[in-house]
Amino acid sequence: MGEPAIDRADVKRRRLEAAEEWSVLLGDTTACAIAKDGRSYPAGKFHEGRVAALGELLRRIDASSTEPQIADAATGLRADWESRPMPGAGESREWESYRAGGVQALGEFAVRSG
């Protein structure tokens, strides 16, 4: 027997898990406070990217989306995230971590169906 089909609820669940992991990493501070202090926090940006990318995926699918439709949407978004220019003059560790988190999260859904 194969794995059960994925659906929108699975994407929502993964986004919630990513948000919880991000929250645990931040502890009692905020991402804004860390940035204002000038501290580097690529681990936090990784999980922030996961949350953002899965949020984008949720906006592209609905409750009736099939596993192949979710995989297609995730595949397209992953390609967008891989090629998306990041803000600023160059790539920073934080933005590369943000992008990597998004690409990784979308890849979990892009590769399952096929």
Side-chain angles (χ1 to χ4, degrees), residues 19-32:
E20 289 173 350
E21 290 170 17
W22 185 25
S23 177
V24 167
L25 282 174
L26 287 176
D28 63 352
T29 191
T30 66
C32 292

Side-chain angles (χ1 to χ4, degrees), residues 24-83:
V24 167
L25 282 174
L26 287 176
D28 63 352
T29 191
T30 66
C32 292
I34 291 170
K36 284 180 184 177
D37 288 347
R39 293 180 278 166
S40 178
Y41 202 55
K45 295 302 279 186
F46 180 85
H47 291 292
E48 181 182 2
R50 291 176 60 213
V51 171
L54 293 173
E56 282 189 56
L57 180 57
L58 284 169
R59 289 187 292 279
R60 291 196 181 189
I61 61 175
D62 60 29
S64 66
S65 295
T66 64
E67 183 170 359
Q69 290 169 327
I70 293 169
D72 286 346
T75 299
L77 269 174
R78 183 177 61 181
D80 290 349
W81 272 71
E82 288 171 336
S83 65

Side-chain angles (χ1 to χ4, degrees), residues 6 67-69 71-72 108-114:
I6 59 168
E67 183 170 359
Q69 290 169 327
D72 286 346
E108 291 178 24
F109 293 98
V111 298
R112 281 198 58 174
S113 180

Side-chain angles (χ1 to χ4, degrees), residues 73-97:
T75 299
L77 269 174
R78 183 177 61 181
D80 290 349
W81 272 71
E82 288 171 336
S83 65
R84 185 177 294 173
M86 293 293 151
E91 299 293 324
S92 70
R93 277 181 41 181
E94 283 77 16
W95 284 113
E96 272 305 311
S97 293

Side-chain angles (χ1 to χ4, degrees), residues 3-21:
E3 292 183 41
I6 59 168
D7 61 14
R8 191 171 194 276
D10 294 311
V11 178
K12 287 175 78 171
R13 187 172 25 264
R14 290 298 297 142
R15 185 170 188 252
L16 178 60
E17 290 168 3
E20 289 173 350
E21 290 170 17

